[in-house]
């Protein structure tokens, strides 16, 4: 009888631990989704400012203009 009670207690403890793990995982997934959503909003806000496009190559004046345009957005 004592062994059965011990086994039942161990089963309950295992179930509680499993439920806690599921809960923590769900919380972590929800938090990551919120963070991802915030990142998407930041990108959308940045793109709404129509950032200048630097096409590369040797163009010091173009590079300076690009930097000033990006700084204007972040300012």
């Amino acid at each position: 009888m004592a062994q059965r009670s011990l086994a039942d207690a161990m089963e309950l403890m295992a179930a509680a631990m499993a439920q806690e793990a599921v809960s923590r995982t769900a919380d972590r997934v929800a938090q990551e989704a919120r963070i991802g959503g915030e990142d998407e909003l930041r990108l959308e806000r940045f793109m709404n400012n129509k950032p200048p496009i630097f096409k590369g190559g040797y163009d010091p004046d173009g590079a300076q203009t690009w930097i000033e345009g990006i700084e204007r957005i972040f300012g």
Side-chain angles (χ1 to χ4, degrees):
M1 187 58 112
Q3 287 180 339
R4 184 69 200 149
S5 295
L6 184 58
D8 290 342
M10 289 176 71
E11 273 185 46
L12 286 173
M13 187 170 222
M17 291 172 70
Q19 182 60 38
E20 177 65 22
V22 167
S23 177
R24 271 192 249 150
T25 300
D27 290 344
R28 189 173 341 120
V29 167
Q31 182 179 12
E32 289 172 1
R34 282 192 302 274
I35 291 170
E38 290 171 6
D39 288 345
E40 288 176 14
L41 289 175
R42 284 187 199 113
L43 177 61
E44 184 178 335
R45 219 170 29 239
F46 177 78
M47 294 307 291
N48 284 339
N49 282 289
K50 296 181 180 40
I53 296 173
F54 182 63
K55 297 180 177 130
Y58 184 78
D59 183 7
D61 292 332
Q64 185 61 37
T65 302
W66 179 82
I67 289 170
E68 290 168 0
I70 295 297
E71 287 176 341
R72 177 188 50 81
I73 292 171
F74 284 109

